[in-house]
Amino acid sequence: MLEVSGIDCFYGDVQVLRGLSLSLKTGEVLCLMGRNGAGKTTALKAIMGLVRARAGRIVLDGVDIGHLPAHEVPRQGIGYVPQGRRLFSELTVRENLLIGQMTRKTGPAALERAVHLFPVLKERMEQRSGTLSGGEQQMLAMARALCLEPKVLLLDEPTEGLMPSMIAAIRQSVIELKRHDVATILVEQRVDAVLPVADRVAFVENGTVRDTLPVEAVRADHGLIDRYVGVGH
Amino acid sequence: MTAAVLALMALGLSLVFGVMRVVNVAHGEFFMLGAVTAWAISHFVPGHPAVGFAAAFVGAPLVVGAVALGAERLVLRRLGHDPEATIVATIGLLFILQQLALTFFGPDARPVQAPFTYRVVFPWFGYSGYKLFVVAAAVALLVGAWFVLTRTKLGLVMRATQFDRETAQAFGIPVDTVYAAVFAVGAMLAAVAAVLIVPIQQAHYLMGLDPLLLSFIVVIIGGLGSLKGTMVAAVVIGLSDGVISVFFTPTLAKILGTLLVALVLVVKPGGLYGTAPR
């Protein structure tokens, strides 16, 4: 479904991704793990076209999306939940969701389905999104991305700074999406949040994927996590 | 009347800064270009002055919008809309437009005939019907702008781009196209303001400087990017500038306006209705 092959990305003269490759199948949850600065967020931005890959290919369902303008990439069916949520904080909850819905002109039913996953948003539709709690903001960020009915969802540290009940809700929504054949790339530092939902784990180090393993193999070998993520994960 | 026209012009400046974060120092020259083009169109369209005025009212904003679109494409986009670089670039644009107007239009002030000279007679005094028309037209345009910004999908796209350019792109918004459209619309608002005012003030190649200063005063006091703030500040500054200019001197009016800007920047840096910088 999604093939990323040997991409190089730079911020100015600094190379951040070095031949990074990964693949994703329909309905699969792939977790990217690695230390801060390893290149996980940049990998997601490169897929979204927000950071241009100077080499390599990014192909979604046979279409090379690596050369599309950034605003065309989500129209191919890729939803993005950025790190720190990046809501349009002065807009209401409804307006944020409408932005998601307008991306692929998916219609009101898509908005209804997204809100159905996070019912708390229904009571807050006219509230300014910047005034929501951290957990509610994360739910809105996910619902906004789901409004475009993505084939692939990119989640960048969705559990960052959330309390356990909110983390459980986010985890449940990823499981629900998987059931509907939505493939997900999940960037996470928290092992406990990842292992119950992931199918495979890709360990990113120094801008490249060092190892990609089934989640069972990761569960069995905690040394892997210590090596790639460090202690205190 | 000054307040209504000033609000239109300031709205253009505020829109461009609010969405693009570009301080358009050439905004006054788009106003001047609107007035000069209005003179040219009305001068060459034969028949009743109303016909020439109507042609100018439609044609001048289109011409100015096209010039702004060209400037955005050839200059601002190449600079990546960088806030500092675009200040310098728009200063350059200011001089280019001004000198082109001097070269082709000349140094003389030239009148445009009002479309009608009807005088509205109130019980105690009479008032120019055209000036009342200017107020009504400006208010109608401001209400239209408010409606588009707050009640339409186009306005939603513009506000989303204003808040977060990168995330807007991640949701399919063609940010470069939005920027080009906003820059053109901002310039067209200045041109409309000029067409409305030119039968009263005459077209002149240096006429953009005073309204530019007043527009900056308005958008800083009202809050950069805030439509409500722009309107409130335009009324306050427009009225006070007129009253102080009549009873004292225009220079004193500008001094007091600038002092008010300094006061607002100290007490409420975001302006009366502005949001804190992100």
Side-chain angles (χ1 to χ4, degrees):
Chain A
M1 166 173 241
L2 178 70
E3 283 286 338
V4 178
S5 328
I7 56 169
D8 291 344
C9 286
F10 295 75
Y11 289 125
D13 292 332
V14 180
Q15 187 167 6
V16 183
L17 299 186
R18 294 176 169 80
L20 182 135
S21 299
L22 54 86
S23 65
L24 190 66
K25 292 183 213 130
T26 305
E28 187 183 32
V29 179
L30 173 72
C31 179
L32 296 188
M33 294 193 90
R35 290 185 168 84
N36 286 337
K40 308 181 295 292
T41 294
T42 306
L44 298 193
K45 286 191 172 184
I47 294 169
M48 290 306 297
L50 299 172
V51 176
R52 281 277 154 227
R54 289 194 198 167
R57 272 162 61 86
I58 304 168
V59 178
L60 175 69
D61 286 339
V63 178
D64 187 347
I65 60 169
H67 296 101
L68 293 178
H71 70 271
E72 289 286 351
V73 174
R75 293 179 187 171
Q76 305 300 312
I78 304 187
Y80 181 42
V81 181
Q83 187 174 20
R85 294 137 203 163
R86 303 280 291 268
L87 295 174
F88 302 112
S89 57
E90 297 292 317
L91 303 186
T92 64
V93 169
R94 184 187 302 283
E95 287 172 330
N96 269 278
L97 295 172
L98 277 173
I99 293 283
Q101 186 197 304
M102 282 156 55
T103 311
R104 295 178 77 201
K105 300 181 175 64
T106 42
L111 194 150
E112 284 302 318
R113 276 192 289 275
V115 172
H116 182 72
L117 266 180
F118 306 104
V120 67
L121 297 177
K122 212 175 276 183
E123 303 150 22
R124 305 257 193 275
M125 291 300 259
E126 306 311 325
Q127 193 172 327
R128 211 161 53 79
S129 62
T131 63
L132 298 175
S133 71
E136 289 166 345
Q137 286 191 13
Q138 190 61 55
M139 289 177 185
L140 175 57
M142 284 190 70
R144 181 179 61 179
L146 294 178
C147 278
L148 61 94
E149 299 202 318
K151 295 184 267 188
V152 176
L153 185 64
L154 310 182
L155 297 176
D156 197 350
E157 308 231 10
T159 66
E160 191 180 29
L162 298 187
M163 57 189 194
S165 62
M166 291 292 179
I167 294 174
I170 301 283
R171 196 162 53 206
Q172 193 53 42
S173 64
V174 173
I175 293 168
E176 189 69 24
L177 291 170
K178 185 178 162 70
R179 220 175 279 153
H180 287 90
D181 277 343
V182 176
T184 303
I185 298 182
L186 178 59
V187 166
E188 257 303 346
Q189 299 269 18
R190 299 176 57 115
V191 178
D192 58 332
V194 167
L195 296 187
V197 294
D199 295 304
R200 289 185 300 143
V201 179
F203 292 103
V204 182
E205 191 178 63
N206 203 20
T208 195
V209 173
R210 296 282 184 212
D211 259 329
T212 306
L213 299 165
V215 74
E216 297 77 20
V218 178
R219 269 204 201 97
D221 184 358
H222 261 265
L224 276 171
I225 290 173
D226 288 341
R227 194 183 331 145
Y228 288 116
V229 185
V231 287
H233 42 76
Chain B
M1 186 203 62
T2 310
V5 172
L6 185 58
L8 266 185
M9 177 147 171
L11 175 63
L13 189 68
S14 182
L15 202 60
V16 168
F17 180 82
V19 176
M20 302 170 69
R21 301 282 136 183
V22 166
V23 178
N24 180 17
V25 184
H27 193 64
E29 302 319 303
F30 289 135
F31 176 81
M32 177 274 292
L33 198 59
V36 166
T37 312
W39 174 83
I41 292 174
S42 62
H43 188 72
F44 291 109
V45 171
H48 192 274
V51 178
F53 181 84
F57 193 77
V58 176
L62 289 177
V63 169
V64 173
V67 170
L69 216 51
E72 195 279 338
R73 191 66 200 251
L74 295 174
V75 182
L76 304 186
R77 194 175 295 188
R78 283 165 192 262
L79 295 171
H81 303 101
D82 175 73
E84 284 87 23
T86 50
I87 290 178
V88 179
T90 55
I91 290 172
L93 190 60
L94 179 157
F95 287 117
I96 290 169
L97 292 176
Q98 206 174 74
Q99 293 308 307
L100 283 174
L102 175 62
T103 305
F104 293 104
F105 178 76
D108 302 325
R110 299 180 196 213
V112 171
Q113 270 194 284
F116 53 88
T117 51
Y118 179 73
R119 191 169 175 79
V120 180
V121 182
F122 294 103
W124 299 282
F125 65 99
Y127 199 74
S128 158
Y130 178 71
K131 287 184 178 176
L132 290 177
F133 163 75
V134 169
V135 173
V139 169
L141 284 163
L142 289 169
V143 170
W146 171 83
F147 183 81
V148 168
L149 281 172
T150 59
R151 295 283 183 274
T152 66
K153 283 186 177 174
L154 180 65
L156 184 58
V157 162
M158 283 163 64
R159 285 184 291 145
T161 307
Q162 172 180 1
F163 297 132
D164 191 332
R165 175 192 165 125
E166 187 178 89
T167 308
Q169 279 185 308
F171 284 90
I173 295 175
V175 168
D176 282 342
T177 308
V178 173
Y179 278 8
V182 164
F183 197 69
V185 168
M188 287 168 83
L189 284 168
V192 169
V195 177
L196 289 173
I197 207 81
V198 80
I200 300 162
Q201 282 191 355
Q202 303 195 74
H204 185 255
Y205 82 104
L206 289 176
M207 71 185 294
L209 298 175
D210 265 7
L212 177 70
L213 176 63
L214 283 175
S215 297
F216 271 119
I217 290 172
V218 165
V219 296
I220 293 170
I221 290 175
L224 285 160
S226 162
L227 181 62
K228 190 175 166 188
T230 300
M231 290 185 189
V232 171
V235 171
V236 171
I237 295 299
L239 287 178
S240 61
D241 189 73
V243 170
I244 296 167
S245 296
V246 168
F247 288 101
F248 299 95
T249 65
T251 309
L252 180 66
K254 302 292 180 296
I255 291 171
L256 289 178
T258 314
L259 282 175
L260 189 58
V261 167
L263 185 70
V264 168
L265 286 176
V266 170
V267 177
K268 208 164 182 300
L272 296 179
Y273 293 89
T275 49
R278 281 166 293 119

